[in-house]
Amino acid sequence: MTLKTISKLALLMLVMSACALNKKAYRNTQEMAVISYNASDKVKNNSSLQARVVSDVRLGDTTLTDPAGKVKNSLFDNLNKSFLQKIVDEEKIIETKSFKAYAEEHDYEQSKLNEIVNLGVGYEAIKGYPVILPTDKKTIKKAFNYLPENIDAVMVVSSRLWFDEDATFNVGGYSSAGLSNQRVQSALTVCIVNKNGKKVFYKSFLGKSAGKLGDEDNKFTLNELVDQALKDSFLKFNRYMEKKLD
């Protein structure tokens, strides 16, 4: 993926994030079920060819372990208690026969459009959850047919990962972006829809890793860089919610 394409995607997410929070609907939400924690299965596939080649040279550990699990862990580690108290225990959701049927029937990975829409980038979800992207409101709303009656809102949490590339020059398809150390960037998107089909929340948050590729003889593994980027994006999410609901 080129720098130009990445920039367009980032801009699109920010535009779509306008009017992100319905305060009244959010405050009326008591029991919220997360129906998908998912993340892009690779970092390099979302980045330019130049960044992928350079990362192979500079990054000693290129293994990314359980990206969707990282999304969930970062959510619970970095969001305030008032938000987390609305989320019901996952055992009450994913262990039910009805939700298992929903997960099997609506997993986004089963769609042949996945690689076309996302330029060859796959997504992974935590075991027991389907891969549902935040833009798929139709599938999100269907979840209420498979959930307990007390659930009044559902949430999808998704992260797209790539290498941050700030170029000082770009001529004829060649840029300086891949010549310096690069951070991992996370485009975290959170979508909440209530039982009435109203959008309670939709916004994306761009986070960057504190460390860079190749820092101090490859000090950070890819997993650590992804964790750092996710933390930054979730902290921005948390600050946004606190500011809007103050």
Side-chain angles (χ1 to χ4, degrees):
M1 184 181 298
T2 65
L3 292 174
K4 187 176 181 180
T5 302
I6 292 173
S7 299
K8 286 182 178 179
L9 286 171
L11 178 61
L12 177 62
M13 285 185 294
L14 293 176
V15 171
M16 291 177 65
S17 294
C19 302
L21 176 64
N22 183 328
K23 294 182 182 180
K24 182 177 180 180
Y26 176 78
R27 290 193 171 106
N28 288 336
T29 297
Q30 302 298 321
E31 301 285 330
M32 182 165 57
V34 180
I35 59 173
S36 183
Y37 298 97
N38 64 75
S40 48
D41 56 358
K42 293 179 179 66
V43 177
K44 292 187 294 183
N45 277 21
N46 289 320
S47 306
S48 69
L49 176 60
Q50 185 173 7
R52 281 180 271 169
V53 172
V54 172
S55 67
D56 282 336
V57 175
R58 291 186 172 167
L59 191 60
D61 183 358
T62 59
T63 302
L64 181 58
T65 307
D66 190 21
K70 291 180 181 297
V71 170
K72 178 186 175 183
N73 292 339
S74 194
L75 182 147
F76 282 96
D77 288 344
N78 296 296
L79 296 190
N80 63 48
K81 291 182 179 179
S82 62
F83 183 89
L84 295 177
Q85 285 173 349
K86 293 179 180 287
I87 301 177
V88 299
D89 293 339
E90 68 174 3
E91 290 79 9
K92 297 179 180 179
I93 304 300
I94 65 173
E95 294 301 324
T96 64
K97 290 183 179 180
S98 57
F99 188 78
K100 288 180 179 179
Y102 171 77
E104 182 177 351
E105 182 178 350
H106 297 96
D107 193 326
Y108 189 74
E109 281 293 288
Q110 294 181 11
S111 172
K112 292 182 179 179
L113 292 176
N114 184 41
E115 291 191 358
I116 298 174
V117 173
N118 296 291
L119 304 178
V121 178
Y123 281 78
E124 291 183 3
I126 295 177
K127 184 178 180 180
Y129 290 90
V131 174
I132 300 173
L133 297 188
T135 52
D136 191 356
K137 188 177 179 182
K138 182 178 179 181
T139 299
I140 293 172
K141 289 194 294 184
K142 284 183 180 180
F144 289 104
N145 298 327
Y146 300 82
L147 294 169
E149 287 293 324
N150 61 297
I151 301 299
D152 50 23
V154 294
M155 178 168 67
V156 169
V157 189
S158 179
S159 176
R160 190 179 183 94
L161 302 164
W162 68 81
F163 290 126
D164 178 49
E165 302 168 76
D166 293 323
T168 56
F169 67 84
N170 194 323
V171 179
Y174 294 92
S175 77
S176 61
L179 305 180
S180 60
N181 293 344
Q182 302 166 46
R183 303 179 192 274
V184 170
Q185 185 155 303
S186 162
L188 172 73
T189 303
V190 179
C191 177
I192 302 175
V193 176
N194 69 14
K195 210 166 190 175
N196 296 323
K198 292 184 178 180
K199 188 180 291 183
V200 178
F201 185 86
Y202 189 101
K203 189 171 177 62
S204 296
F205 301 88
L206 301 179
K208 292 183 182 180
S209 61
K212 299 179 182 179
L213 295 178
D215 254 2
E216 298 179 18
D217 297 324
N218 295 326
K219 178 179 179 181
F220 299 107
T221 66
L222 183 56
N223 278 316
E224 290 171 332
L225 294 172
V226 169
D227 284 335
Q228 292 170 10
L230 285 170
K231 180 177 181 178
D232 187 37
S233 56
F234 272 108
L235 287 175
K236 288 178 179 177
F237 173 32
N238 194 60
R239 286 194 294 270
Y240 176 89
M241 296 296 286
E242 289 180 340
K243 179 180 180 181
K244 291 295 183 179
L245 296 170
D246 188 16

